[in-house]
Amino acid sequence: MAGGRSRRAYRREQIRPEELQAVLEAGTWAPTAMNRQSPVIVAVQDKATRDRLSQMNAAVLGHDGDPFYGAPAVLVVLADHTIPTWVEDGSLVLGNLLLAASSIGLGSCWINRAREVFDTREGKELLRKWGLDPERYRGVGNCILGYPAPGGVKAAAPRKPDYVVQV
C-alpha cells in the first residue's frame, strides 16, 4: 500500500477524461449507510474555479499559498447533512476516490476544510451555481488529482505497534 501515499507535487497537465471517469465511478460505489447515497462529487477541472477553491481553502488557513499543491483537478465531496451519517458517507467516498486514483497511477491527496469553505456565503453561492441546495449540502473534503511530479511524496512513517488489537 506504500504506493497510495499522499502526493504534494503535481505536473501541470490535466488528467485524461477516462482516468477521471474511472476515479469518479469508484467514488459512486462507496458504501453509504442504508444505501442512502447522501454524498455528491463535484469534479472541478476548470482552472478558474480550481484556483478560486484553492484561494477560499487557503483563506480558512489564514495564508495565501496553494493548499491543492498545484494539482489540476479537485473532486469536492459534499453530503446531505440531514442524513445522520453524512460525514461517514462522504469520508468513504473520499477513501474510494483516493484508492482508485492510486490504482491507476494518479497522484492524489485528501485536503480538508471543505466544510468551512462551503459554509461561507461565497461557498454557498458556488453550490447554487452548481445546482446544489446550500441548505442541504455541506462539505466533507476535497480529493486533489493529477500526475505526480518527482519528489512529491514523503516517505511513509512506520506504523505504530499497537495499530491493531486482535481479540
Side-chain angles (χ1 to χ4, degrees), residues 6-161:
S6 295
R7 305 293 188 216
R8 291 186 172 81
Y10 296 85
R11 298 187 336 227
R12 292 183 188 264
E13 67 190 272
Q14 191 55 259
I15 61 175
R16 292 188 292 276
E18 61 273 14
E19 292 170 323
L20 176 62
Q21 285 310 120
V23 173
L24 290 169
E25 183 176 351
T28 69
W29 286 101
T32 60
M34 299 178 70
N35 197 27
R36 287 188 176 125
Q37 301 178 40
S38 67
V40 170
I41 306 164
V42 179
V44 177
Q45 290 185 289
D46 170 68
K47 184 170 175 11
T49 304
R50 178 253 181 247
D51 291 349
R52 183 176 178 192
L53 288 173
S54 174
Q55 291 169 347
M56 293 168 71
N57 196 294
V60 173
L61 285 171
H63 71 72
D64 60 1
D66 179 15
F68 296 156
Y69 302 104
V74 180
L75 307 182
V76 180
V77 177
L78 306 140
D80 180 345
H81 77 94
T82 67
I83 305 294
T85 56
W86 70 280
V87 173
E88 293 85 352
D89 291 348
S91 296
L92 285 166
V93 168
L94 278 155
N96 270 26
L97 296 172
L98 295 165
L99 290 170
S102 176
S103 76
I104 61 173
L106 291 174
S108 65
C109 187
W110 179 326
I111 305 295
N112 287 308
R113 296 168 298 282
R115 186 173 314 163
E116 294 88 342
V117 164
F118 290 99
D119 280 353
T120 66
R121 181 188 54 76
E122 187 177 6
K124 289 177 186 291
E125 287 172 10
L126 277 174
L127 293 178
R128 281 187 200 90
K129 180 180 175 182
W130 297 337
L132 298 170
D133 180 354
E135 301 309 315
R136 181 175 168 198
Y137 289 100
R138 295 194 67 198
V140 177
N142 304 284
C143 174
I144 58 173
L145 291 176
Y147 298 115
V153 65
K154 289 182 359 183
R159 303 294 88 184
K160 64 182 185 176

